[in-house]
Amino acid sequence: MAKFPRDTFRDSLSVSLTVGAYGVAFGAASIAAHFSVLQTCLFSLLTFTGASQFAAVGVVAAGGAGLSAVAAATLLSTRNALYGMQMSPLLKVRGLKKIAAAHVTIDESTGVALAQTPRGTEAMRTGFWLTGLGVFIFWNIFTLLGALGAKALGDPASFGLDAAVPAAYLGLLWPRLQTNFLRLVAVASMIFALAITSWLPAGLPIIMSVLMAIAFGWREV
Amino acid sequence: MMWAVLLGTSVFCFAIKLLGHYIPETWLSHPRLQRINALIPISLLSALIVAQGLVIKTHIVIDHRLAGVGVALAALLAKMPFPVVVVSAAVASALAYHLH
């Protein structure tokens, strides 16, 4: 343990705890979408990429088709491929370790790893693994707690769970809206999704909103 | 359908993560691809907010959920932490639901 740079360890642990706690919201959202407690926990164990999990249960809750749910979740996870591409040359692992590294390649592990750049390669690797495993542990514990809590409460509308889910999305979106351009993309996506709601099957407007990302990202601003 | 969604999501999301570890860094480094990729979470999360807060099936419906999302927005503007945002939204929505 003495080999761990103290600051890297602190960064990893604080991120793991904070982000892991969001698992409560996912657990509750999944139960509100009528997934079982077992399915909810398997989502966090197997899918393990928060925004995609929220999207999958969100599309189901909105009455969307299963295919739409999987497509929305998959689209939301494409950024993980970019993270893997950056982390792979740094980690230099093979076999089972590669599988494990891929599974914990998420916003937070990549973010903490990149933040350790001034502290050197070893600190970056440590940051990646500690944060990836830390978030994995806490995210799964808190998912179970959220699922059991929501199950105990009962009717989602009666306890405001049906509003807690979009509120959680808003909470996930908020820190990403750092510039006016990004805020514009968010507002345009909301208006676009609402505008096409009456014409498309439930769930599809969510996926179609990716067109806004393509339109706004096409040219440099 | 629930199991299919769970397994489909898990398989595809893991495949994408693994793919990233195997492709050369130059493949996805086209600036246009990176710009679009950075915007996808913003577009999808935005659409999810309205789909869950303002829509039932294929209709726009203003109900107790909007009270919750409004309070969440106010909490975020007041720089409240995530749990406070979610819980205050739930409380506001539940109040509106029962008062209605």
Side-chain angles (χ1 to χ4, degrees):
Chain A
M1 290 295 280
K3 252 190 79 187
F4 288 152
R6 185 173 299 225
D7 293 336
T8 305
F9 189 79
R10 194 202 52 216
D11 286 359
S12 302
L13 193 68
S14 62
V15 168
S16 300
L17 263 172
T18 335
V19 175
Y22 284 42
V24 171
F26 171 72
S30 180
I31 294 298
H34 301 295
F35 283 93
S36 69
V37 173
L38 174 67
Q39 287 166 333
T40 300
C41 290
L42 285 175
F43 254 118
S44 285
L45 282 167
L46 301 175
T47 302
F48 188 55
T49 175
S52 294
Q53 295 176 224
F54 272 111
V57 304
V59 173
V60 170
L67 206 60
S68 303
V70 175
T74 306
L75 281 169
L76 252 174
S77 80
T78 51
R79 64 191 193 289
N80 290 332
L82 293 180
Y83 298 154
M85 210 176 62
Q86 289 172 282
M87 290 298 108
S88 172
L90 170 78
L91 299 170
K92 295 196 180 79
V93 286
R94 304 168 155 275
L96 271 181
K97 264 193 154 175
K98 186 108 166 169
I99 303 279
H103 198 47
V104 298
T105 301
I106 52 172
D107 292 319
E108 293 77 23
S109 53
T110 308
V112 171
L114 293 177
Q116 308 304 312
T117 310
R119 295 180 187 141
T121 316
E122 198 49 47
M124 289 173 78
R125 275 190 207 127
T126 306
F128 175 86
W129 284 110
L130 274 183
T131 311
L133 296 174
V135 174
F136 186 77
I137 291 166
F138 289 116
W139 177 253
N140 279 289
I141 292 173
F142 282 110
T143 295
L144 175 64
L145 294 179
L148 291 176
K151 202 81 193 166
L153 285 178
D155 176 23
S158 187
F159 291 92
L161 258 185
D162 52 351
V165 177
Y169 294 140
L170 190 59
L172 290 173
L173 175 67
W174 201 255
R176 295 176 188 273
L177 303 180
Q178 308 240 332
T179 67
N180 279 333
F181 174 70
L182 297 175
R183 286 174 207 124
L184 174 68
V185 174
V187 173
S189 302
M190 287 184 195
I191 294 172
F192 179 68
L194 278 180
I196 59 178
T197 286
S198 307
W199 288 281
L200 292 174
L204 265 192
I206 298 166
I207 296 169
M208 298 294 280
S209 72
V210 168
L211 290 176
M212 286 289 114
I214 295 172
F216 280 98
W218 199 257
R219 286 173 194 284
E220 202 177 345
V221 282
Chain B
M1 182 187 109
M2 306 309 242
W3 283 106
V5 170
L6 164 61
L7 295 176
T9 301
S10 297
V11 167
F12 280 109
C13 288
F14 178 72
I16 283 182
K17 285 175 180 168
L18 195 62
L19 185 75
H21 280 261
Y22 279 104
I23 50 177
E25 204 160 348
T26 48
W27 278 27
L28 295 179
S29 53
H30 190 283
R32 176 170 289 161
L33 215 59
Q34 296 216 331
R35 283 198 302 271
I36 293 173
N37 216 326
L39 294 182
I40 285 178
I42 292 178
S43 284
L44 278 171
L45 287 170
S46 302
L48 277 163
I49 292 167
V50 296
Q52 297 245 282
L54 284 171
V55 174
I56 290 180
K57 299 283 178 188
T58 58
H59 300 285
I60 297 174
V61 179
I62 307 246
D63 59 14
H64 58 279
R65 296 171 299 167
L66 188 60
V69 176
V71 167
L73 183 64
L76 284 164
L77 285 169
K79 300 191 193 301
M80 293 291 163
F82 185 78
V84 177
V85 172
V86 175
V87 171
S88 62
V91 170
S93 174
L95 277 177
Y97 179 79
H98 289 291
L99 289 176
H100 186 62

